[in-house]
Amino acid sequence: MTNLNITAAFLIGLAGSVHCFGMCGGVVSAFHFAVPKGAKQWPYVFTYNLGRITSYALLGALTGYLGSMVERAEIVKSIPILHTISALFLIAMACYVGNWWRGLHYLERAGAKLWRYVRPLSKSLLPFKHPLYALPYGIIWGWLPCGLVYSTLTWSLASGSAINGALVMLFFGLGTLPALIVMAAGVESMKTLLTNPKTRQIVALCLLGFALHMLWRAYV
């Protein structure tokens, strides 16, 4: 796992986080009501996001390990195939962010079937009695059906190892952090910028460019 790949994972999270405003805005709004009245929100925001990013890293480790099993089996042709799948999912994410094609919505709907069984686990943690209660809450909400997460997980699958897969999702999660902090802080000017249709188009084109680069690199 090179520094370039880690940086790219962070940038994908940062660029794709404009999607978080539509997907996670309601979660953040509900989060405010779970924090005790009069308590400072930042400790809860920190532990929630720590749990969320930990969940991503664990999922990345799992998918990275599954990909490494294929590699150990010496199925040589599977390596570019995994990278191709990653690039195609990222292209689908670019289309989703740009609102050119909403195919990933069907994948999110499929994930929602599992989410129906996972989500109730978070209710026992509400309202938060302590910032640490927000940690497992964040871990659970890391499983929220999200096309952006699914797209990046396919990159973890092609990363070659559990550690590399975890690193991809760790830095991806860190990339999404600024947008969620902006939502938690209620910075309206940043919300307006990140939800602007022109911003989404620019982000979509950046994701598309990176996906095409991944596709080219898989076969050179």
Side-chain angles (χ1 to χ4, degrees), residues 180-202:
L180 290 176
I181 289 177
V182 164
M183 281 193 285
V187 183
E188 293 300 326
S189 59
M190 287 299 296
K191 287 183 181 181
T192 301
L193 174 64
L194 292 174
T195 55
N196 187 292
K198 290 182 179 179
T199 302
R200 294 182 68 90
Q201 295 302 310
I202 292 171

Side-chain angles (χ1 to χ4, degrees), residues 7 18 83 98 117 120 131 135 175 181-182:
T7 302
V18 298
H83 282 85
Y117 299 100
L135 180 65
I181 289 177
V182 164

